[in-house]
Structure formats: C-alpha cells, structure tokens
C-alpha cells in the first residue's frame, strides 16, 4: 500500500546530481570524451527531472476543489510521465546521436586519469543514492518480490527516482569501461560505443517508466489488499447480503477511491440502510486509511 510520500529521496538525488553534473562537465571538457559528455547531459537532465517531480508532489497535495472534486493526486503521475519522456529524449536519444557522431568522427581521448577519477566518484555517489532508494522500497514492498513491486507500486515518484539512479549507475559503468578501453587500445571508437550503450540504457529505462506511469495516469486499480479488505468487511456484516460490484481506483499517492454495489437484507428501512453504509465506510477507512472516497450503491433484495 502507499506509504509516506516525503520528498527526501527526491531532494537527495537532486543534490547528488548537481554535484555530479559539474564534475562530469569539467571532465568532459578536459578529456574530450563523448561518453563523458553524454553522462554530463544525463546528470543535468536528471536534475531537471527531479525538479519536475518536486513540482508534481506539491501539486498533488492541493485539496479537492469544485473543478477537481477528487483532488489533484494524479498530478504527480503526469509529471512522472513527463520525466520519462525527458529521460527518453534529453538523455537517451541525444546519447545515441552523440555516439553515432563519434563513431564517424572519433577524436583522441585525453587526460583519461581525470575522467576515470570523476566517473569513479560519480559512481560512488550514484550508488549511495540508489542504495537509499532500495532501502526505502524494501520498507514499502512488504515481502513482495522486488521487480514485482516496481511493476505494482503506486509510488511513481520513488520508482522514477530509482529508475534514474539505477540507469545512472549502469551508464557510469559503461562510461568507465569505454574510457578505459579507449585508453588501453588507443582506439577512440570504444568511447563512442560506450556513449551508444548509455543511450540504449536510458531509452530502455525511460520506456519502462513511461509504461508503468501511464497505467496510473489513465486510472489503475488500487492495491489488491484494499479490494480484498473492502470485500471482506462487506461479507462480515450480516446486514449486507452480497457484493454485486466492487471497484477501486488509485487517484494519487495514498489516495484511493472505492465504489461498491451492495445487497442489503430484506425489510430494512432507508435509515437502517444508510446507517449500515456509514458503519461500513467507517470500518473500511479504519482498516485502509488510503481510502479517501467511498461510494456505496444499495441494491434491493431479489424476490
């Protein structure tokens, strides 16, 4: 289920990427490495992406209004989707372009020691940020397999930040190998190959994130635990005879809509039905605090 949606994981990644992008940019100028330039632009793009996520979190916290009666929770999903698009275009596509250009116009890579030192430092910082993301996700996945949690999680901001950081780590490893091979073999085309590999990684991660966030953006069902809890609470009440329809929708981080059509015992008055519905809603919210909206349609007994 959705957890606490603090912005600490976003801010720590933003600070890390700001420092890393400056170091990479200086190293790219000194070495003339295409892979280093691709990594510099990747880190700068990540900084912009994290600012967009912070904007999304802030907008998702706005209260419901007459125009948006169910709140603004899906704003975070919209900005998460924008991050995936920017990661695809600003990071992946540009890296592919730069790699193809370098293959045809390969230039000598200089000051390799500087580039390797900066990449190693960047990998250490990115690795630390990624491990922090994993620790946070381990708290929330509650025994669910890690990759299944990535597919099922409603915490789009955490998944996007983890995707960015994991892609950055893999990209840095490719950049390190490319720069090292270019230096050892004297063939600068290895640098171009590393740049292409970084582009492929970024595009792959961006496509995965876009697919997952798009599902939330268009209206994904809530966690199965909430559906099961709502059904179980209805069955436990002797005044409710059957569950005819049960729908859950994830409206935003920690915000779930539940709609049910319930059958009630014969002979109940309108007041008794209304009271039973109110009791059911209270018990459901007590068990599942994520349920922010609950709509129940009563059905007449069958004769």
């Amino acid at each position: 289920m959705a957890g606490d949606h603090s912005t600490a994981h976003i801010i720590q990644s933003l600070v890390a990427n700001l420092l890393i992008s400056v170091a990479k940019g200086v190293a790219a100028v000194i070495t003339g490495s295409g892979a280093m330039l691709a990594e510099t632009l990747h880190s700068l793009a990540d900084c912009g992406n994290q600012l967009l996520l912070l904007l999304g979190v802030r907008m998702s916290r706005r209260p419901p209004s007459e125009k948006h009666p169910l709140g603004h929770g899906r704003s975070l999903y919209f900005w998460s989707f924008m991050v995936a698009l920017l990661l695809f275009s600003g990071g992946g596509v540009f890296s592919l372009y730069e790699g193809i250009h370098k293959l045809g116009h390969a230039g000598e890579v200089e000051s390799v020691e500087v580039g390797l030192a900066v990449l190693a430092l960047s990998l250490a910082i990115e690795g630390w940020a990624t491990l922090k993301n994993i620790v946070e996700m381990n708290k929330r996945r509650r025994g669910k397999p890690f990759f299944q949690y990535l597919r099922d999680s409603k915490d789009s901001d955490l998944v996007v930040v983890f995707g960015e950081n994991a892609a950055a780590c893999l990209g840095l490893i490719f950049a390190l190998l490319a720069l090292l091979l270019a230096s050892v073999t004297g063939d600068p085309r290895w640098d171009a190959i590393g740049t292409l590999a970084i582009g492929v990684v970024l595009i792959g991660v961006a496509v995965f994130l876009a697919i997952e966030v798009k599902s939330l953006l268009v209206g994904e069902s809530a966690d199965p635990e909430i559906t099961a809890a709502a059904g179980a609470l209805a069955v436990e009440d002797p005044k409710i005879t059957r569950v005819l329809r049960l729908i859950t929708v994830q409206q935003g981080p920690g915000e779930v809509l539940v709609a049910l059509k319930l059958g009630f015992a014969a002979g109940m008055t309108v007041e008794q039905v209304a009271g039973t519905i109110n009791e059911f809603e209270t018990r459901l919210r007590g068990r599942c605090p994520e349920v922010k909206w609950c709509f129940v349609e009563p059905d007449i007994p069958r004769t």
Side-chain angles (χ1 to χ4, degrees):
M1 297 184 187
D4 175 37
H5 284 79
S6 70
T7 57
H9 58 286
I10 303 176
I11 293 174
Q12 74 182 16
S13 294
L14 174 60
V15 173
N17 278 304
L18 280 172
L19 297 174
I20 290 171
S21 61
V22 172
K24 287 179 181 177
V26 172
V29 173
I30 294 174
T31 63
S33 167
M36 185 68 76
L37 177 60
E39 278 298 306
T40 302
L41 293 172
H42 175 200
S43 293
L44 286 172
D46 281 351
C47 291
N49 291 344
Q50 282 137 21
L51 288 173
L52 290 179
L53 287 176
L54 288 172
L55 174 63
V57 171
R58 180 178 179 181
M59 295 183 68
S60 70
R61 291 173 175 172
R62 291 185 297 175
S65 62
E66 184 176 349
K67 189 174 183 179
H68 298 279
L70 297 181
H72 299 78
R74 292 198 199 182
S75 295
L76 179 57
Y77 301 151
F78 169 77
W79 290 109
S80 297
F81 188 78
M82 291 298 295
V83 166
L85 293 181
L86 290 173
L87 187 63
F88 178 89
S89 58
V93 172
F94 181 84
S95 295
L96 288 181
Y97 166 80
E98 182 67 16
I100 293 171
H101 175 74
K102 285 284 185 179
L103 277 176
H105 305 82
E108 185 178 352
V109 178
E110 302 174 351
S111 303
V112 175
E113 296 81 4
V114 175
L116 291 175
V118 169
L119 287 172
L121 176 62
S122 301
L123 182 58
I125 297 173
E126 289 284 8
W128 170 80
T130 304
L131 285 175
K132 295 286 285 184
N133 294 150
I134 293 174
V135 168
E136 181 62 27
M137 287 190 289
N138 285 340
K139 293 178 182 177
R140 302 190 190 188
R141 63 191 180 96
R142 300 182 180 182
K144 182 178 291 188
F146 186 79
F147 289 103
Q148 187 63 41
Y149 170 79
L150 290 179
R151 296 295 306 272
D152 297 342
S153 175
K154 316 304 180 184
D155 302 331
S156 66
D157 54 326
L158 182 58
V159 173
V160 168
V161 170
F162 168 74
E164 286 182 341
N165 290 337
C169 287
L170 192 54
L172 285 165
I173 292 172
F174 284 145
L176 271 167
L177 292 174
L179 201 58
L180 191 59
L181 286 170
S183 174
V184 171
T185 64
D187 186 351
R189 287 178 297 180
W190 281 110
D191 183 57
I193 293 172
T195 308
L196 290 171
I198 292 170
V200 171
V201 168
L202 295 179
I203 287 176
V205 171
V207 170
F208 171 78
L209 293 177
I211 291 173
E212 294 306 311
V213 177
K214 177 249 183 184
S215 179
L216 290 165
L217 188 59
V218 300
E220 186 173 291
S221 61
D223 288 327
E225 293 88 345
I226 295 179
T227 303
L233 285 172
V235 171
E236 291 170 4
D237 193 327
K239 297 186 288 295
I240 298 175
T241 59
R242 58 193 183 278
V243 179
L244 299 168
R245 184 68 169 147
L246 172 55
I247 298 173
T248 64
V249 179
Q250 191 76 33
Q251 284 296 115
E255 297 182 3
V256 174
L257 180 150
V258 177
L260 308 94
K261 185 173 184 178
L262 302 176
F264 290 84
M268 293 181 65
T269 66
V270 173
E271 290 77 10
Q272 289 172 329
V273 170
T276 302
I277 291 174
N278 290 336
E279 291 172 4
F280 170 79
E281 292 177 345
T282 300
R283 287 186 289 119
L284 178 59
R285 289 193 174 97
R287 185 174 297 186
C288 304
E290 301 93 336
V291 177
K292 192 169 183 179
W293 299 275
C294 182
F295 303 107
V296 178
E297 177 186 355
D299 187 63
I300 60 174
R302 295 179 181 178
T303 57

